[in-house]
Each structure stands twice: as C-alpha cells, then as structure tokens.
Amino acid sequence: MPERRSPTARRRELSNALRRLREEGGFTVDDAAEALDCSTDKILWMERAEWVKPKLRDVRDLLDRYGVTDAKHREKLFAMAREGSQRDWWQPYRKMLSDRYTTYIGLESEADDVLTFELAVFPGLMQTADYARGLIQSGPAEISDEEVEQRVKVRTERQRILFGDAPARLWAIIDEAALHRPVGGPEVMRAQIQRLIELAELPKITFQVIPFSAGPHPSTAGSFTILSFPRDPDAAYVETVAGELLVEEAADVRRYEAVFRQLIAKALSPEDTIAMLSKEAARN
C-alpha cells in the first residue's frame, strides 16, 4: 500500500523549505553553492526537487551557512532528508515511467485534495483494471503484455489514496464524451460505470459530468489535475502526447483552479450525474 507520507513529497517539502531559508536570509544561489562546494545548477535542482535529492550532509551544511541554529527546526529538516532518501512504492516500476510521472505519483499520494478533469476518458483514480488495461493497450507506444500489466498495477495502486483512515478528497469532472467512448467492450464499460457510481457515493468523492447539452466549456482543449497540499504550494499536472507537464508556479496553478470552478458550474450536480450514470449502465 502506498505511504501517505511519500518520499517524493518529503523531498519537495524539504526543497521548498531550503529555498525559503536561503531567500529569507538574503543568501544567493552562489552562496549556497559555495557552502556545498558544488555548482549553482545543483542548488537550483535541489530547490526545485529535480534530479538531486538533498542529502543529510548537504542539509546540515546549508543550515550552518544560513545560520539556522534552532535544534528542533534543524531536526525537522534532517528528518525530511532521511524520509526523502527512502524508496517510493513505485520504485520497482521506475524504468518504464517518466521522471515527471513518478514525481506526480509521489505528490498525488500526499495530496489532501485532488481535482481532476478528463475530456475523453474516466479519471485514472476511478478506473477499473480492465478499463485501464484497454486504455494502456491502445496507447501511442507499443509495449509488451508484461509492461501493460505493470502499468495497470501502478494505476490501481495509486487508487489506494481514496481509502483507509485518511483518504484524499477527490473531485472529478468528465466530459460526457467519456461515457460514450467504448473501451474494452460492453462488459468492461458496464463494470466501469458501476465502479464510478460506487465511488461517487463515498463521502470524500465528488463526481460530475458535463453533458453535451451544456455546449462548449472552458477546458475543451484538454484534461488536467490539480493537487492541493496542507503545507506545500499546490501543483497542476497535464499529460500530452509529447510528455507530461508539472505546473508549480502559483499564478499558473491559480489559472487551472479558476477553470475548474467554471467546469463545476457547467456540470450536472452530483445527484444528476449518478442518475445519468445509472441510465448509461442499463444501456450497456
């Protein structure tokens, strides 16, 4: 079962804390690089939680340079470094997954709220294994049956954040087109729609459909997901044919949040959505 305290999220939290300490202390990237006897690129990568995992020794040397002497504060950051060096649950599948996707998985496992809009398919966190398998098999890249099953397992493992003692809150919106796009045949679609109904009835899940009758909406250009955290800045994630995009600039994330609010207004109510799903399940 994926940890709710993911190493990826710990590294991001630590990176943000180190950047804030440097900026608030009036230190430059060059100052930080001098403290570690490294390149400025390493500092920038470290502060963006990219490529470089902050080691315990690096954190100690930076805190010394920034004049952080409070023992509790230092130990908290040291703990983040230790937790961030651990293996994520998806590590066995690392070679077949992109860096941005694995970063997203780690952040998703820690998010308090997941807001997602899908234009053509059902959200990954709500997909059955058979539905996910059908999508993965029809993807742009030719992959082996073994890799298909591994990718299906990653997708279903991600869904564990919706259950347990402290589940994440999920608000999912889809375009009606996803309901009418057959994946895997009638039985797969029937089971998938029933799965949506079951999940939509959980207290921390809200599910809505934007009907064709609503006309054009603010995100006809594509799908996206917003991750909200209790302490760290929110992030947005977009998948494209050319690769994934993780958006962390606050102004850009706010644009996605504004679009999501408009999508909520365009969509059917959760109750009317379940009624639509029930009718669709009866037709399959």
Side-chain angles (χ1 to χ4, degrees), residues 255-269:
R255 293 188 183 96
Y256 282 101
E257 292 171 341
V259 169
F260 197 83
R261 288 193 294 270
Q262 295 175 60
L263 294 173
I264 291 173
K266 279 276 188 178
L268 296 173
S269 69

Side-chain angles (χ1 to χ4, degrees), residues 106-119:
L107 296 180
E108 178 187 68
S109 69
E110 185 95 354
D112 270 10
D113 296 272
V114 179
L115 312 178
T116 187
F117 169 72
E118 285 289 352
L119 187 61

